[in-house]
Amino acid sequence: MQRICVIGGSRYFGKLLVERLHAAGHQVTVINRGSTPPPAGVDHLVVDRNDEAALTAALDSRTFDVVVDQVCYTPVQAAIAARAFAGRTLRYVMTSTIEVYDPATAALPAVPAGTPVPEETVDPAAWPVAMDLPWQDDAYLEAHYAEGKRQAEAVFTRAGGFEFASVRSAHVLGGGAREFTGRLAHYAERIARGGAITVHTKTLPTVFIHYEELADLLQWATTADFTGPVNACSDGPLDVRGLAAIIAAQAGREPVYRTVPAGEEASPFSVDRHYAMSNARAKELGFSFSRTTDWLPGAVAEALTTEPSPTT
């Protein structure tokens, strides 16, 4: 049994992670602002992680074997957490994102198209950190989501005091109504009613992961002994047209496309630049991934019965 703290953990794969850790017999503590209570038997600390004094007071004398941070988006949040958990945990795992590799958001080393992007493309140990940017501004943060994640990883990597690992997740799908982004439901609804999907003239593949597989990987990461970033994606990159074809086969409709040039806004998962991740490191460390095409039809079936969220 381990003492595991999950920051966030109130929805989607975070909620599933909490359930699975608890079912596995771990002593689990959830930290969030109280909007959603955790399952019975899970300790719940209601506190704003951005308030360092309140977070430190809420933690009191608690110590943990592992912290899993689901909701760290800025270097400021990372610095607060690093100080608050110094001496209170042996290991810290942060959920990060494929977006750290997006070449449209930073000057990154070029990776040839078709070559899966490895973790060393973004090295948190060398990444610059700027605490004085307006990270508290929601509009700024939304526009700089990838950079916030890169800098948060950098802060934890340099903090010391505990082992640090980041899980860079691919686009997460599955779960029907649980998938709070509504992106797969958006595609399913559009194709089912014959609406047009906006795609780039030339689309490139990206990578995906099922929400249950990501919960599995995060649970694995709590007991693994690696440090640094690890990419999390199912086998088999897929471009937007391939995704649409799988949906269309179940919806019984042919997809309708509206094309736009590179650089213009398009529907989710229409990618006009290369940053599809490699999952080789996670495999070498012992994690086994499914194939995207094995679980995607089931996720599509769920999405076809889910009301979509407003999106592009």
Side-chain angles (χ1 to χ4, degrees):
M1 181 190 76
Q2 287 191 308
R3 294 161 299 161
I4 301 177
C5 175
V6 179
I7 305 177
S10 63
R11 59 180 181 175
Y12 207 26
F13 59 85
K15 182 178 181 180
L16 181 59
L17 172 65
V18 170
E19 293 170 354
R20 290 188 173 181
L21 290 171
H22 180 57
H26 298 297
Q27 181 181 325
V28 183
T29 298
V30 167
I31 293 176
N32 58 35
R33 289 178 294 185
S35 57
T36 304
V42 172
D43 193 17
H44 190 197
L45 300 182
V46 179
V47 64
D48 184 348
R49 61 148 327 135
N50 298 307
D51 185 334
E52 184 170 355
L55 176 60
T56 302
L59 288 170
D60 194 21
S61 61
R62 292 175 176 83
T63 59
F64 306 98
D65 297 298
V66 188
V67 174
V68 183
D69 194 339
Q70 298 281 75
V71 289
C72 187
Y73 302 108
T74 76
V76 176
Q77 290 177 322
I80 289 171
R83 290 190 294 266
F85 285 94
R88 285 192 172 93
T89 188
L90 302 175
R91 181 170 176 78
Y92 202 105
V93 179
M94 172 188 154
T95 304
S96 191
T97 172
I98 184 177
E99 301 302 332
V100 301
Y101 300 117
D102 185 351
T105 64
L108 300 173
V111 178
T115 302
V117 178
E119 286 85 355
E120 55 265 28
T121 302
V122 175
D123 179 6
W127 199 263
V129 172
M131 293 288 194
D132 57 348
L133 295 174
W135 296 114
Q136 73 286 350
D137 181 83
D138 290 342
Y140 181 86
L141 180 56
E142 182 177 1
H144 297 83
Y145 170 70
E147 182 60 17
K149 286 288 192 179
R150 284 187 288 255
Q151 292 195 25
E153 287 189 40
V155 169
F156 281 125
T157 299
R158 298 166 196 171
F162 44 68
E163 292 184 346
F164 173 67
S166 59
V167 173
R168 294 172 175 171
S169 170
H171 305 294
V172 189
L173 299 178
R178 299 183 192 91
E179 188 205 329
F180 65 90
T181 67
R183 290 176 175 179
L184 189 56
H186 160 80
Y187 277 102
E189 187 268 343
R190 283 288 182 94
I191 292 172
R193 66 175 176 83
I197 299 167
T198 306
V199 300
H200 295 103
T201 304
K202 181 181 179 181
T203 59
L204 295 175
T206 187
V207 285
F208 300 92
I209 191 167
H210 192 270
Y211 83 108
E212 291 184 354
E213 187 164 42
L214 182 54
D216 288 342
L217 189 143
L218 287 165
Q219 184 172 1
W220 165 78
T222 63
T223 56
D225 59 2
F226 73 91
T227 58
V230 65
N231 294 336
C233 59
S234 301
D235 290 333
L238 199 65
D239 69 12
V240 67
R241 294 177 186 267
L243 174 66
I246 292 173
I247 297 170
Q250 294 193 52
R253 298 287 297 266
E254 286 297 318
V256 178
Y257 299 108
R258 182 177 72 87
T259 59
V260 296
E264 290 195 14
E265 188 175 5
S267 293
F269 312 135
S270 181
V271 179
D272 60 351
R273 55 206 181 274
H274 171 61
Y275 58 108
M277 299 187 299
S278 165
N279 61 14
R281 184 177 190 228
K283 289 180 176 178
E284 291 168 359
L285 290 167
F287 190 84
S288 297
F289 290 96
S290 65
R291 290 196 63 79
T292 303
T293 50
D294 288 340
W295 55 258
L296 186 53
V300 168
E302 292 174 321
L304 284 167
T305 61
T306 299
E307 287 294 323
S309 299
T311 188
T312 304

